[in-house]
Amino acid sequence: MSSREANAIADEKNLDLVLISPTAKPPVCKIMDYGKYRYETTKREKENRKNQKVVEVKEVWLSATIDVGDLNTKAKQANKFISDGNRVRVSIRLRGRQQARPELALKVMAEFFELVKENAQMDKPPTTEGRVVAMLLIPIAKK
């Protein structure tokens, strides 16, 4: 029908003529209460935002010369972050002579992963990025 006829019908019912698909041939319109429609869509978007879980990336710094007790403490901290549903970036900054032996940092990373592997899986394996060795852990998906 023509747009004049559609506008007349909408005015008769005290509703609005809303253009749904302008690119279609012919364009598709709908007769509705536009104010109510906007209210419902904003309400639905607000509800979706409320139910959305924001995943953060937490960071745990280690040392290439870290001792077992400190490693266990950091592993507990990482397990807490992972159980909350966050990703964990584990980093080791190599200083001075440690830069000549990055394999020591990779060994520490492997030990650390052994402590957290029941709760986490490796998203990005340990890689050397300049003076920093880093890996990314994500929570294991529950079935």
Side-chain angles (χ1 to χ4, degrees), residues 75-86 88 113-122 137-142:
K76 279 184 195 173
Q77 186 181 29
N79 277 326
K80 185 176 147 231
F81 292 151
I82 290 167
S83 64
D84 290 342
N86 295 314
V88 177
F113 183 67
E114 287 299 316
L115 294 172
V116 297
K117 74 178 181 182
E118 64 271 354
N119 296 330
Q121 64 188 32
M122 207 178 293
L137 303 175
I138 57 173
I140 293 177
K142 295 191 172 60

mmCIF file with all atom_site columns, all heavy atoms in Angstrom, residues 75-86 88 113-122 137-142:
data_model
loop_
_atom_site.group_PDB
_atom_site.id
_atom_site.type_symbol
_atom_site.label_atom_id
_atom_site.label_alt_id
_atom_site.label_comp_id
_atom_site.label_asym_id
_atom_site.label_entity_id
_atom_site.label_seq_id
_atom_site.pdbx_PDB_ins_code
_atom_site.Cartn_x
_atom_site.Cartn_y
_atom_site.Cartn_z
_atom_site.occupancy
_atom_site.B_iso_or_equiv
_atom_site.pdbx_formal_charge
_atom_site.auth_seq_id
_atom_site.auth_comp_id
_atom_site.auth_asym_id
_atom_site.auth_atom_id
_atom_site.pdbx_PDB_model_num
ATOM 1   N N   . ALA A 1 75  ? 50.522 -19.379 43.216 1.00 0.00 ? 75  ALA A N   1
ATOM 2   C CA  . ALA A 1 75  ? 49.610 -20.344 42.594 1.00 0.00 ? 75  ALA A CA  1
ATOM 3   C C   . ALA A 1 75  ? 48.237 -20.284 43.264 1.00 0.00 ? 75  ALA A C   1
ATOM 4   O O   . ALA A 1 75  ? 47.206 -20.358 42.580 1.00 0.00 ? 75  ALA A O   1
ATOM 5   C CB  . ALA A 1 75  ? 50.184 -21.753 42.683 1.00 0.00 ? 75  ALA A CB  1
ATOM 6   N N   . LYS A 1 76  ? 48.197 -20.124 44.585 1.00 0.00 ? 76  LYS A N   1
ATOM 7   C CA  . LYS A 1 76  ? 46.919 -19.982 45.293 1.00 0.00 ? 76  LYS A CA  1
ATOM 8   C C   . LYS A 1 76  ? 46.186 -18.735 44.817 1.00 0.00 ? 76  LYS A C   1
ATOM 9   O O   . LYS A 1 76  ? 44.967 -18.750 44.611 1.00 0.00 ? 76  LYS A O   1
ATOM 10  C CB  . LYS A 1 76  ? 47.144 -19.876 46.807 1.00 0.00 ? 76  LYS A CB  1
ATOM 11  C CG  . LYS A 1 76  ? 47.363 -21.184 47.494 1.00 0.00 ? 76  LYS A CG  1
ATOM 12  C CD  . LYS A 1 76  ? 47.471 -20.953 48.996 1.00 0.00 ? 76  LYS A CD  1
ATOM 13  C CE  . LYS A 1 76  ? 48.040 -22.152 49.686 1.00 0.00 ? 76  LYS A CE  1
ATOM 14  N NZ  . LYS A 1 76  ? 48.299 -21.889 51.112 1.00 0.00 ? 76  LYS A NZ  1
ATOM 15  N N   . GLN A 1 77  ? 46.947 -17.651 44.669 1.00 0.00 ? 77  GLN A N   1
ATOM 16  C CA  . GLN A 1 77  ? 46.366 -16.390 44.200 1.00 0.00 ? 77  GLN A CA  1
ATOM 17  C C   . GLN A 1 77  ? 45.790 -16.569 42.789 1.00 0.00 ? 77  GLN A C   1
ATOM 18  O O   . GLN A 1 77  ? 44.667 -16.139 42.503 1.00 0.00 ? 77  GLN A O   1
ATOM 19  C CB  . GLN A 1 77  ? 47.449 -15.318 44.216 1.00 0.00 ? 77  GLN A CB  1
ATOM 20  C CG  . GLN A 1 77  ? 46.965 -13.938 43.884 1.00 0.00 ? 77  GLN A CG  1
ATOM 21  C CD  . GLN A 1 77  ? 48.112 -12.934 43.895 1.00 0.00 ? 77  GLN A CD  1
ATOM 22  O OE1 . GLN A 1 77  ? 49.266 -13.287 43.628 1.00 0.00 ? 77  GLN A OE1 1
ATOM 23  N NE2 . GLN A 1 77  ? 47.802 -11.693 44.189 1.00 0.00 ? 77  GLN A NE2 1
ATOM 24  N N   . ALA A 1 78  ? 46.534 -17.221 41.918 1.00 0.00 ? 78  ALA A N   1
ATOM 25  C CA  . ALA A 1 78  ? 46.073 -17.451 40.545 1.00 0.00 ? 78  ALA A CA  1
ATOM 26  C C   . ALA A 1 78  ? 44.851 -18.368 40.529 1.00 0.00 ? 78  ALA A C   1
ATOM 27  O O   . ALA A 1 78  ? 43.912 -18.137 39.766 1.00 0.00 ? 78  ALA A O   1
ATOM 28  C CB  . ALA A 1 78  ? 47.200 -18.048 39.703 1.00 0.00 ? 78  ALA A CB  1
ATOM 29  N N   . ASN A 1 79  ? 44.836 -19.399 41.375 1.00 0.00 ? 79  ASN A N   1
ATOM 30  C CA  . ASN A 1 79  ? 43.682 -20.293 41.455 1.00 0.00 ? 79  ASN A CA  1
ATOM 31  C C   . ASN A 1 79  ? 42.431 -19.537 41.891 1.00 0.00 ? 79  ASN A C   1
ATOM 32  O O   . ASN A 1 79  ? 41.328 -19.801 41.412 1.00 0.00 ? 79  ASN A O   1
ATOM 33  C CB  . ASN A 1 79  ? 43.947 -21.455 42.415 1.00 0.00 ? 79  ASN A CB  1
ATOM 34  C CG  . ASN A 1 79  ? 44.711 -22.580 41.758 1.00 0.00 ? 79  ASN A CG  1
ATOM 35  O OD1 . ASN A 1 79  ? 44.541 -22.845 40.570 1.00 0.00 ? 79  ASN A OD1 1
ATOM 36  N ND2 . ASN A 1 79  ? 45.554 -23.245 42.518 1.00 0.00 ? 79  ASN A ND2 1
ATOM 37  N N   . LYS A 1 80  ? 42.605 -18.578 42.798 1.00 0.00 ? 80  LYS A N   1
ATOM 38  C CA  . LYS A 1 80  ? 41.473 -17.762 43.256 1.00 0.00 ? 80  LYS A CA  1
ATOM 39  C C   . LYS A 1 80  ? 40.932 -16.926 42.094 1.00 0.00 ? 80  LYS A C   1
ATOM 40  O O   . LYS A 1 80  ? 39.727 -16.849 41.883 1.00 0.00 ? 80  LYS A O   1
ATOM 41  C CB  . LYS A 1 80  ? 41.915 -16.863 44.401 1.00 0.00 ? 80  LYS A CB  1
ATOM 42  C CG  . LYS A 1 80  ? 40.797 -16.068 45.015 1.00 0.00 ? 80  LYS A CG  1
ATOM 43  C CD  . LYS A 1 80  ? 41.284 -15.280 46.209 1.00 0.00 ? 80  LYS A CD  1
ATOM 44  C CE  . LYS A 1 80  ? 40.495 -14.003 46.265 1.00 0.00 ? 80  LYS A CE  1
ATOM 45  N NZ  . LYS A 1 80  ? 41.251 -12.811 46.376 1.00 0.00 ? 80  LYS A NZ  1
ATOM 46  N N   . PHE A 1 81  ? 41.831 -16.306 41.329 1.00 0.00 ? 81  PHE A N   1
ATOM 47  C CA  . PHE A 1 81  ? 41.415 -15.509 40.175 1.00 0.00 ? 81  PHE A CA  1
ATOM 48  C C   . PHE A 1 81  ? 40.679 -16.377 39.157 1.00 0.00 ? 81  PHE A C   1
ATOM 49  O O   . PHE A 1 81  ? 39.654 -15.986 38.607 1.00 0.00 ? 81  PHE A O   1
ATOM 50  C CB  . PHE A 1 81  ? 42.610 -14.843 39.497 1.00 0.00 ? 81  PHE A CB  1
ATOM 51  C CG  . PHE A 1 81  ? 43.272 -13.762 40.311 1.00 0.00 ? 81  PHE A CG  1
ATOM 52  C CD1 . PHE A 1 81  ? 44.621 -13.510 40.156 1.00 0.00 ? 81  PHE A CD1 1
ATOM 53  C CD2 . PHE A 1 81  ? 42.559 -13.000 41.213 1.00 0.00 ? 81  PHE A CD2 1
ATOM 54  C CE1 . PHE A 1 81  ? 45.245 -12.503 40.889 1.00 0.00 ? 81  PHE A CE1 1
ATOM 55  C CE2 . PHE A 1 81  ? 43.165 -12.000 41.946 1.00 0.00 ? 81  PHE A CE2 1
ATOM 56  C CZ  . PHE A 1 81  ? 44.510 -11.749 41.783 1.00 0.00 ? 81  PHE A CZ  1
ATOM 57  N N   . ILE A 1 82  ? 41.218 -17.569 38.897 1.00 0.00 ? 82  ILE A N   1
ATOM 58  C CA  . ILE A 1 82  ? 40.641 -18.469 37.896 1.00 0.00 ? 82  ILE A CA  1
ATOM 59  C C   . ILE A 1 82  ? 39.283 -18.981 38.356 1.00 0.00 ? 82  ILE A C   1
ATOM 60  O O   . ILE A 1 82  ? 38.343 -19.069 37.564 1.00 0.00 ? 82  ILE A O   1
ATOM 61  C CB  . ILE A 1 82  ? 41.616 -19.623 37.583 1.00 0.00 ? 82  ILE A CB  1
ATOM 62  C CG1 . ILE A 1 82  ? 42.817 -19.067 36.803 1.00 0.00 ? 82  ILE A CG1 1
ATOM 63  C CG2 . ILE A 1 82  ? 40.934 -20.734 36.817 1.00 0.00 ? 82  ILE A CG2 1
ATOM 64  C CD1 . ILE A 1 82  ? 43.978 -19.987 36.687 1.00 0.00 ? 82  ILE A CD1 1
ATOM 65  N N   . SER A 1 83  ? 39.146 -19.289 39.652 1.00 0.00 ? 83  SER A N   1
ATOM 66  C CA  . SER A 1 83  ? 37.855 -19.771 40.153 1.00 0.00 ? 83  SER A CA  1
ATOM 67  C C   . SER A 1 83  ? 36.793 -18.681 40.095 1.00 0.00 ? 83  SER A C   1
ATOM 68  O O   . SER A 1 83  ? 35.602 -18.975 40.022 1.00 0.00 ? 83  SER A O   1
ATOM 69  C CB  . SER A 1 83  ? 37.994 -20.307 41.573 1.00 0.00 ? 83  SER A CB  1
ATOM 70  O OG  . SER A 1 83  ? 38.360 -19.271 42.457 1.00 0.00 ? 83  SER A OG  1
ATOM 71  N N   . ASP A 1 84  ? 37.212 -17.412 40.107 1.00 0.00 ? 84  ASP A N   1
ATOM 72  C CA  . ASP A 1 84  ? 36.273 -16.297 39.940 1.00 0.00 ? 84  ASP A CA  1
ATOM 73  C C   . ASP A 1 84  ? 35.888 -16.111 38.482 1.00 0.00 ? 84  ASP A C   1
ATOM 74  O O   . ASP A 1 84  ? 35.051 -15.264 38.164 1.00 0.00 ? 84  ASP A O   1
ATOM 75  C CB  . ASP A 1 84  ? 36.878 -14.988 40.462 1.00 0.00 ? 84  ASP A CB  1
ATOM 76  C CG  . ASP A 1 84  ? 36.999 -14.976 41.968 1.00 0.00 ? 84  ASP A CG  1
ATOM 77  O OD1 . ASP A 1 84  ? 36.325 -15.797 42.630 1.00 0.00 ? 84  ASP A OD1 1
ATOM 78  O OD2 . ASP A 1 84  ? 37.753 -14.137 42.495 1.00 0.00 ? 84  ASP A OD2 1
ATOM 79  N N   . GLY A 1 85  ? 36.515 -16.868 37.565 1.00 0.00 ? 85  GLY A N   1
ATOM 80  C CA  . GLY A 1 85  ? 36.170 -16.802 36.149 1.00 0.00 ? 85  GLY A CA  1
ATOM 81  C C   . GLY A 1 85  ? 37.034 -15.840 35.352 1.00 0.00 ? 85  GLY A C   1
ATOM 82  O O   . GLY A 1 85  ? 36.713 -15.532 34.209 1.00 0.00 ? 85  GLY A O   1
ATOM 83  N N   . ASN A 1 86  ? 38.118 -15.340 35.931 1.00 0.00 ? 86  ASN A N   1
ATOM 84  C CA  . ASN A 1 86  ? 38.986 -14.399 35.229 1.00 0.00 ? 86  ASN A CA  1
ATOM 85  C C   . ASN A 1 86  ? 40.131 -15.127 34.540 1.00 0.00 ? 86  ASN A C   1
ATOM 86  O O   . ASN A 1 86  ? 40.508 -16.234 34.924 1.00 0.00 ? 86  ASN A O   1
ATOM 87  C CB  . ASN A 1 86  ? 39.565 -13.376 36.217 1.00 0.00 ? 86  ASN A CB  1
ATOM 88  C CG  . ASN A 1 86  ? 38.486 -12.511 36.817 1.00 0.00 ? 86  ASN A CG  1
ATOM 89  O OD1 . ASN A 1 86  ? 37.616 -12.019 36.122 1.00 0.00 ? 86  ASN A OD1 1
ATOM 90  N ND2 . ASN A 1 86  ? 38.533 -12.341 38.122 1.00 0.00 ? 86  ASN A ND2 1
ATOM 91  N N   . VAL A 1 88  ? 44.194 -15.233 33.675 1.00 0.00 ? 88  VAL A N   1
ATOM 92  C CA  . VAL A 1 88  ? 45.389 -14.860 34.438 1.00 0.00 ? 88  VAL A CA  1
ATOM 93  C C   . VAL A 1 88  ? 46.582 -14.823 33.500 1.00 0.00 ? 88  VAL A C   1
ATOM 94  O O   . VAL A 1 88  ? 46.854 -15.789 32.786 1.00 0.00 ? 88  VAL A O   1
ATOM 95  C CB  . VAL A 1 88  ? 45.647 -15.862 35.591 1.00 0.00 ? 88  VAL A CB  1
ATOM 96  C CG1 . VAL A 1 88  ? 46.911 -15.510 36.333 1.00 0.00 ? 88  VAL A CG1 1
ATOM 97  C CG2 . VAL A 1 88  ? 44.468 -15.898 36.540 1.00 0.00 ? 88  VAL A CG2 1
ATOM 98  N N   . PHE A 1 113 ? 52.572 -23.876 36.192 1.00 0.00 ? 113 PHE A N   1
ATOM 99  C CA  . PHE A 1 113 ? 51.415 -24.458 35.516 1.00 0.00 ? 113 PHE A CA  1
ATOM 100 C C   . PHE A 1 113 ? 51.028 -25.792 36.129 1.00 0.00 ? 113 PHE A C   1
ATOM 101 O O   . PHE A 1 113 ? 49.846 -26.123 36.215 1.00 0.00 ? 113 PHE A O   1
ATOM 102 C CB  . PHE A 1 113 ? 51.671 -24.605 34.013 1.00 0.00 ? 113 PHE A CB  1
ATOM 103 C CG  . PHE A 1 113 ? 50.476 -25.136 33.277 1.00 0.00 ? 113 PHE A CG  1
ATOM 104 C CD1 . PHE A 1 113 ? 49.326 -24.370 33.165 1.00 0.00 ? 113 PHE A CD1 1
ATOM 105 C CD2 . PHE A 1 113 ? 50.492 -26.398 32.720 1.00 0.00 ? 113 PHE A CD2 1
ATOM 106 C CE1 . PHE A 1 113 ? 48.205 -24.859 32.501 1.00 0.00 ? 113 PHE A CE1 1
ATOM 107 C CE2 . PHE A 1 113 ? 49.381 -26.899 32.055 1.00 0.00 ? 113 PHE A CE2 1
ATOM 108 C CZ  . PHE A 1 113 ? 48.235 -26.125 31.945 1.00 0.00 ? 113 PHE A CZ  1
ATOM 109 N N   . GLU A 1 114 ? 52.008 -26.570 36.569 1.00 0.00 ? 114 GLU A N   1
ATOM 110 C CA  . GLU A 1 114 ? 51.714 -27.850 37.229 1.00 0.00 ? 114 GLU A CA  1
ATOM 111 C C   . GLU A 1 114 ? 50.877 -27.626 38.490 1.00 0.00 ? 114 GLU A C   1
ATOM 112 O O   . GLU A 1 114 ? 50.038 -28.455 38.838 1.00 0.00 ? 114 GLU A O   1
ATOM 113 C CB  . GLU A 1 114 ? 53.007 -28.594 37.582 1.00 0.00 ? 114 GLU A CB  1
ATOM 114 C CG  . GLU A 1 114 ? 53.730 -29.187 36.398 1.00 0.00 ? 114 GLU A CG  1
ATOM 115 C CD  . GLU A 1 114 ? 52.895 -30.230 35.658 1.00 0.00 ? 114 GLU A CD  1
ATOM 116 O OE1 . GLU A 1 114 ? 52.262 -31.076 36.327 1.00 0.00 ? 114 GLU A OE1 1
ATOM 117 O OE2 . GLU A 1 114 ? 52.865 -30.186 34.421 1.00 0.00 ? 114 GLU A OE2 1
ATOM 118 N N   . LEU A 1 115 ? 51.099 -26.492 39.178 1.00 0.00 ? 115 LEU A N   1
ATOM 119 C CA  . LEU A 1 115 ? 50.358 -26.200 40.405 1.00 0.00 ? 115 LEU A CA  1
ATOM 120 C C   . LEU A 1 115 ? 48.915 -25.754 40.134 1.00 0.00 ? 115 LEU A C   1
ATOM 121 O O   . LEU A 1 115 ? 48.052 -25.912 40.995 1.00 0.00 ? 115 LEU A O   1
ATOM 122 C CB  . LEU A 1 115 ? 51.080 -25.116 41.217 1.00 0.00 ? 115 LEU A CB  1
ATOM 123 C CG  . LEU A 1 115 ? 52.449 -25.509 41.780 1.00 0.00 ? 115 LEU A CG  1
ATOM 124 C CD1 . LEU A 1 115 ? 53.138 -24.297 42.387 1.00 0.00 ? 115 LEU A CD1 1
ATOM 125 C CD2 . LEU A 1 115 ? 52.302 -26.611 42.823 1.00 0.00 ? 115 LEU A CD2 1
ATOM 126 N N   . VAL A 1 116 ? 48.658 -25.183 38.969 1.00 0.00 ? 116 VAL A N   1
ATOM 127 C CA  . VAL A 1 116 ? 47.314 -24.653 38.693 1.00 0.00 ? 116 VAL A CA  1
ATOM 128 C C   . VAL A 1 116 ? 46.568 -25.413 37.608 1.00 0.00 ? 116 VAL A C   1
ATOM 129 O O   . VAL A 1 116 ? 45.449 -25.036 37.262 1.00 0.00 ? 116 VAL A O   1
ATOM 130 C CB  . VAL A 1 116 ? 47.382 -23.147 38.307 1.00 0.00 ? 116 VAL A CB  1
ATOM 131 C CG1 . VAL A 1 116 ? 47.926 -22.319 39.437 1.00 0.00 ? 116 VAL A CG1 1
ATOM 132 C CG2 . VAL A 1 116 ? 48.165 -22.935 37.039 1.00 0.00 ? 116 VAL A CG2 1
ATOM 133 N N   . LYS A 1 117 ? 47.130 -26.487 37.082 1.00 0.00 ? 117 LYS A N   1
ATOM 134 C CA  . LYS A 1 117 ? 46.533 -27.129 35.905 1.00 0.00 ? 117 LYS A CA  1
ATOM 135 C C   . LYS A 1 117 ? 45.199 -27.820 36.183 1.00 0.00 ? 117 LYS A C   1
ATOM 136 O O   . LYS A 1 117 ? 44.445 -28.067 35.258 1.00 0.00 ? 117 LYS A O   1
ATOM 137 C CB  . LYS A 1 117 ? 47.511 -28.102 35.251 1.00 0.00 ? 117 LYS A CB  1
ATOM 138 C CG  . LYS A 1 117 ? 47.731 -29.396 35.968 1.00 0.00 ? 117 LYS A CG  1
ATOM 139 C CD  . LYS A 1 117 ? 48.666 -30.251 35.165 1.00 0.00 ? 117 LYS A CD  1
ATOM 140 C CE  . LYS A 1 117 ? 48.899 -31.582 35.857 1.00 0.00 ? 117 LYS A CE  1
ATOM 141 N NZ  . LYS A 1 117 ? 49.833 -32.387 35.112 1.00 0.00 ? 117 LYS A NZ  1
ATOM 142 N N   . GLU A 1 118 ? 44.845 -28.100 37.442 1.00 0.00 ? 118 GLU A N   1
ATOM 143 C CA  . GLU A 1 118 ? 43.542 -28.715 37.711 1.00 0.00 ? 118 GLU A CA  1
ATOM 144 C C   . GLU A 1 118 ? 42.393 -27.708 37.539 1.00 0.00 ? 118 GLU A C   1
ATOM 145 O O   . GLU A 1 118 ? 41.256 -28.095 37.330 1.00 0.00 ? 118 GLU A O   1
ATOM 146 C CB  . GLU A 1 118 ? 43.482 -29.346 39.102 1.00 0.00 ? 118 GLU A CB  1
ATOM 147 C CG  . GLU A 1 118 ? 43.622 -28.378 40.262 1.00 0.00 ? 118 GLU A CG  1
ATOM 148 C CD  . GLU A 1 118 ? 45.077 -28.160 40.678 1.00 0.00 ? 118 GLU A CD  1
ATOM 149 O OE1 . GLU A 1 118 ? 45.963 -28.830 40.156 1.00 0.00 ? 118 GLU A OE1 1
ATOM 150 O OE2 . GLU A 1 118 ? 45.280 -27.291 41.539 1.00 0.00 ? 118 GLU A OE2 1
ATOM 151 N N   . ASN A 1 119 ? 42.697 -26.402 37.612 1.00 0.00 ? 119 ASN A N   1
ATOM 152 C CA  . ASN A 1 119 ? 41.660 -25.372 37.456 1.00 0.00 ? 119 ASN A CA  1
ATOM 153 C C   . ASN A 1 119 ? 41.798 -24.581 36.156 1.00 0.00 ? 119 ASN A C   1
ATOM 154 O O   . ASN A 1 119 ? 40.853 -23.914 35.747 1.00 0.00 ? 119 ASN A O   1
ATOM 155 C CB  . ASN A 1 119 ? 41.716 -24.367 38.611 1.00 0.00 ? 119 ASN A CB  1
ATOM 156 C CG  . ASN A 1 119 ? 41.394 -25.017 39.935 1.00 0.00 ? 119 ASN A CG  1
ATOM 157 O OD1 . ASN A 1 119 ? 40.641 -25.970 40.000 1.00 0.00 ? 119 ASN A OD1 1
ATOM 158 N ND2 . ASN A 1 119 ? 41.985 -24.515 40.995 1.00 0.00 ? 119 ASN A ND2 1
ATOM 159 N N   . ALA A 1 120 ? 42.995 -24.602 35.557 1.00 0.00 ? 120 ALA A N   1
ATOM 160 C CA  . ALA A 1 120 ? 43.247 -23.728 34.405 1.00 0.00 ? 120 ALA A CA  1
ATOM 161 C C   . ALA A 1 120 ? 43.806 -24.514 33.232 1.00 0.00 ? 120 ALA A C   1
ATOM 162 O O   . ALA A 1 120 ? 44.377 -25.587 33.399 1.00 0.00 ? 120 ALA A O   1
ATOM 163 C CB  . ALA A 1 120 ? 44.243 -22.637 34.796 1.00 0.00 ? 120 ALA A CB  1
ATOM 164 N N   . GLN A 1 121 ? 43.618 -23.922 32.069 1.00 0.00 ? 121 GLN A N   1
ATOM 165 C CA  . GLN A 1 121 ? 44.280 -24.458 30.883 1.00 0.00 ? 121 GLN A CA  1
ATOM 166 C C   . GLN A 1 121 ? 45.057 -23.322 30.234 1.00 0.00 ? 121 GLN A C   1
ATOM 167 O O   . GLN A 1 121 ? 44.730 -22.160 30.408 1.00 0.00 ? 121 GLN A O   1
ATOM 168 C CB  . GLN A 1 121 ? 43.286 -25.075 29.916 1.00 0.00 ? 121 GLN A CB  1
ATOM 169 C CG  . GLN A 1 121 ? 42.288 -24.101 29.326 1.00 0.00 ? 121 GLN A CG  1
ATOM 170 C CD  . GLN A 1 121 ? 41.227 -24.825 28.522 1.00 0.00 ? 121 GLN A CD  1
ATOM 171 O OE1 . GLN A 1 121 ? 40.862 -25.939 28.838 1.00 0.00 ? 121 GLN A OE1 1
ATOM 172 N NE2 . GLN A 1 121 ? 40.734 -24.181 27.490 1.00 0.00 ? 121 GLN A NE2 1
ATOM 173 N N   . MET A 1 122 ? 46.094 -23.692 29.512 1.00 0.00 ? 122 MET A N   1
ATOM 174 C CA  . MET A 1 122 ? 46.976 -22.707 28.915 1.00 0.00 ? 122 MET A CA  1
ATOM 175 C C   . MET A 1 122 ? 46.356 -22.200 27.613 1.00 0.00 ? 122 MET A C   1
ATOM 176 O O   . MET A 1 122 ? 46.130 -22.972 26.683 1.00 0.00 ? 122 MET A O   1
ATOM 177 C CB  . MET A 1 122 ? 48.340 -23.351 28.643 1.00 0.00 ? 122 MET A CB  1
ATOM 178 C CG  . MET A 1 122 ? 49.481 -22.387 28.655 1.00 0.00 ? 122 MET A CG  1
ATOM 179 S SD  . MET A 1 122 ? 51.081 -23.196 28.394 1.00 0.00 ? 122 MET A SD  1
ATOM 180 C CE  . MET A 1 122 ? 51.255 -24.174 29.855 1.00 0.00 ? 122 MET A CE  1
ATOM 181 N N   . LEU A 1 137 ? 46.583 -17.942 31.115 1.00 0.00 ? 137 LEU A N   1
ATOM 182 C CA  . LEU A 1 137 ? 45.801 -19.076 31.597 1.00 0.00 ? 137 LEU A CA  1
ATOM 183 C C   . LEU A 1 137 ? 44.329 -18.694 31.595 1.00 0.00 ? 137 LEU A C   1
ATOM 184 O O   . LEU A 1 137 ? 43.970 -17.561 31.924 1.00 0.00 ? 137 LEU A O   1
ATOM 185 C CB  . LEU A 1 137 ? 46.220 -19.454 33.018 1.00 0.00 ? 137 LEU A CB  1
ATOM 186 C CG  . LEU A 1 137 ? 47.690 -19.791 33.227 1.00 0.00 ? 137 LEU A CG  1
ATOM 187 C CD1 . LEU A 1 137 ? 47.966 -20.030 34.702 1.00 0.00 ? 137 LEU A CD1 1
ATOM 188 C CD2 . LEU A 1 137 ? 48.082 -21.028 32.427 1.00 0.00 ? 137 LEU A CD2 1
ATOM 189 N N   . ILE A 1 138 ? 43.477 -19.652 31.214 1.00 0.00 ? 138 ILE A N   1
ATOM 190 C CA  . ILE A 1 138 ? 42.038 -19.425 31.246 1.00 0.00 ? 138 ILE A CA  1
ATOM 191 C C   . ILE A 1 138 ? 41.389 -20.533 32.068 1.00 0.00 ? 138 ILE A C   1
ATOM 192 O O   . ILE A 1 138 ? 41.945 -21.626 32.203 1.00 0.00 ? 138 ILE A O   1
ATOM 193 C CB  . ILE A 1 138 ? 41.433 -19.383 29.821 1.00 0.00 ? 138 ILE A CB  1
ATOM 194 C CG1 . ILE A 1 138 ? 41.737 -20.671 29.065 1.00 0.00 ? 138 ILE A CG1 1
ATOM 195 C CG2 . ILE A 1 138 ? 41.934 -18.192 29.057 1.00 0.00 ? 138 ILE A CG2 1
ATOM 196 C CD1 . ILE A 1 138 ? 41.033 -20.782 27.732 1.00 0.00 ? 138 ILE A CD1 1
ATOM 197 N N   . PRO A 1 139 ? 40.207 -20.269 32.641 1.00 0.00 ? 139 PRO A N   1
ATOM 198 C CA  . PRO A 1 139 ? 39.523 -21.304 33.415 1.00 0.00 ? 139 PRO A CA  1
ATOM 199 C C   . PRO A 1 139 ? 39.126 -22.472 32.519 1.00 0.00 ? 139 PRO A C   1
ATOM 200 O O   . PRO A 1 139 ? 38.818 -22.292 31.350 1.00 0.00 ? 139 PRO A O   1
ATOM 201 C CB  . PRO A 1 139 ? 38.282 -20.601 33.950 1.00 0.00 ? 139 PRO A CB  1
ATOM 202 C CG  . PRO A 1 139 ? 38.534 -19.156 33.803 1.00 0.00 ? 139 PRO A CG  1
ATOM 203 C CD  . PRO A 1 139 ? 39.517 -18.988 32.690 1.00 0.00 ? 139 PRO A CD  1
ATOM 204 N N   . ILE A 1 140 ? 39.106 -23.664 33.098 1.00 0.00 ? 140 ILE A N   1
ATOM 205 C CA  . ILE A 1 140 ? 38.667 -24.839 32.365 1.00 0.00 ? 140 ILE A CA  1
ATOM 206 C C   . ILE A 1 140 ? 37.157 -24.758 32.240 1.00 0.00 ? 140 ILE A C   1
ATOM 207 O O   . ILE A 1 140 ? 36.461 -24.505 33.230 1.00 0.00 ? 140 ILE A O   1
ATOM 208 C CB  . ILE A 1 140 ? 39.090 -26.140 33.095 1.00 0.00 ? 140 ILE A CB  1
ATOM 209 C CG1 . ILE A 1 140 ? 40.605 -26.270 33.076 1.00 0.00 ? 140 ILE A CG1 1
ATOM 210 C CG2 . ILE A 1 140 ? 38.431 -27.348 32.468 1.00 0.00 ? 140 ILE A CG2 1
ATOM 211 C CD1 . ILE A 1 140 ? 41.138 -27.467 33.824 1.00 0.00 ? 140 ILE A CD1 1
ATOM 212 N N   . ALA A 1 141 ? 36.648 -24.981 31.040 1.00 0.00 ? 141 ALA A N   1
ATOM 213 C CA  . ALA A 1 141 ? 35.212 -24.909 30.801 1.00 0.00 ? 141 ALA A CA  1
ATOM 214 C C   . ALA A 1 141 ? 34.542 -26.075 31.526 1.00 0.00 ? 141 ALA A C   1
ATOM 215 O O   . ALA A 1 141 ? 34.943 -27.229 31.373 1.00 0.00 ? 141 ALA A O   1
ATOM 216 C CB  . ALA A 1 141 ? 34.914 -24.970 29.313 1.00 0.00 ? 141 ALA A CB  1
ATOM 217 N N   . LYS A 1 142 ? 33.519 -25.746 32.314 1.00 0.00 ? 142 LYS A N   1
ATOM 218 C CA  . LYS A 1 142 ? 32.790 -26.789 33.054 1.00 0.00 ? 142 LYS A CA  1
ATOM 219 C C   . LYS A 1 142 ? 31.734 -27.390 32.154 1.00 0.00 ? 142 LYS A C   1
ATOM 220 O O   . LYS A 1 142 ? 31.060 -26.693 31.421 1.00 0.00 ? 142 LYS A O   1
ATOM 221 C CB  . LYS A 1 142 ? 32.166 -26.171 34.292 1.00 0.00 ? 142 LYS A CB  1
ATOM 222 C CG  . LYS A 1 142 ? 33.246 -25.679 35.247 1.00 0.00 ? 142 LYS A CG  1
ATOM 223 C CD  . LYS A 1 142 ? 32.650 -25.319 36.577 1.00 0.00 ? 142 LYS A CD  1
ATOM 224 C CE  . LYS A 1 142 ? 33.734 -25.023 37.597 1.00 0.00 ? 142 LYS A CE  1
ATOM 225 N NZ  . LYS A 1 142 ? 34.615 -23.963 37.293 1.00 0.00 ? 142 LYS A NZ  1
#
